[in-house]
């Protein structure tokens, strides 16, 4: 899930030895433009209902976005995917017109760390992907 104001519709890197069983846990990151921090926080304080509904309908749970200011404004997103057809669910999300509109708005506030990235809705993925190397419940 993968970038945009929320994530990118590209599959996350999967470890050959997942550290646990259960829902697929995904972490992603990207840069936030310093002059857009307040605007980004404001729009995420009032996420559009259609976007929230699509997240839920795409089998995403426990979704959080964190902001770190050092060494430069960086967002880290974490969520659980609880479905069994990740690529299909992310494709359906990417086809939602309200989600596309949200991504166009939030992409302008962000800078992707992914070489060749052009936006949340197309290209190689907008958010940088991470590999889970440790988990304890």
């Amino acid at each position: 899930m993968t970038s945009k104001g929320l994530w990118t519709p590209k599959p996350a890197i999967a470890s050959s030895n997942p550290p646990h069983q259960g829902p697929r846990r995904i972490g992603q990151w990207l840069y936030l433009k310093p002059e857009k921090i307040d605007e980004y926080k404001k729009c995420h304080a009032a996420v559009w209902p259609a976007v929230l509904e699509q997240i839920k309908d795409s089998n995403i749970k426990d979704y959080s976005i964190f902001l770190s200011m050092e060494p430069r404004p960086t967002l880290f997103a974490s969520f659980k995917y609880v479905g069994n057809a990740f690529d299909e669910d992310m494709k359906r999300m990417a086809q939602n017109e309200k989600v596309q509109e949200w991504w166009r708005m939030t992409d302008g506030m962000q800078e992707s760390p992914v070489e060749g990235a052009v936006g949340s809705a197309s290209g190689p993925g907008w958010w940088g992907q991470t590999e889970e190397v440790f988990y304890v419940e």
Side-chain angles (χ1 to χ4, degrees):
M1 144 161 226
T2 48
S3 217
K4 301 52 171 145
L6 305 180
W7 60 80
T8 175
K10 304 293 180 198
I13 296 172
S15 172
S16 59
N17 273 329
H20 71 285
Q21 300 297 316
R24 181 175 174 183
R25 297 163 45 92
I26 296 173
Q28 301 173 311
W29 67 281
L30 56 66
Y31 300 118
L32 185 60
K33 295 177 181 177
E35 69 275 13
K36 298 293 186 175
I37 293 171
D38 289 340
E39 184 180 356
Y40 191 84
K41 287 181 178 181
K42 183 178 177 182
C43 74
H44 281 82
V47 178
W48 304 341
V51 172
L52 294 174
E53 188 64 29
Q54 184 62 61
I55 291 170
K56 180 180 174 183
D57 289 348
S58 296
N59 294 302
I60 302 298
K61 304 285 184 206
D62 294 334
Y63 184 50
S64 297
I65 299 174
F66 300 89
L67 172 62
S68 174
M69 295 302 290
E70 299 297 331
R72 68 184 278 192
T74 303
L75 297 171
F76 174 76
S78 172
F79 62 90
K80 292 179 186 173
Y81 175 72
V82 297
N84 57 15
F86 182 82
D87 292 341
E88 291 84 357
D89 283 339
M90 296 307 102
K91 182 178 180 181
R92 194 173 66 255
M93 180 179 300
Q95 292 171 342
N96 182 304
E97 290 182 21
K98 280 304 218 183
V99 170
Q100 291 174 13
E101 185 180 347
W102 177 267
W103 287 346
R104 282 189 300 273
M105 176 183 66
T106 58
D107 281 0
M109 301 177 202
Q110 306 162 345
E111 296 175 346
S112 176
V114 178
E115 187 174 332
V118 295
S120 293
S122 61
W126 189 244
W127 288 67
Q129 302 301 311
T130 65
E131 177 184 355
E132 183 177 44
V133 296
F134 177 77
Y135 173 77
V136 66
E137 195 169 279

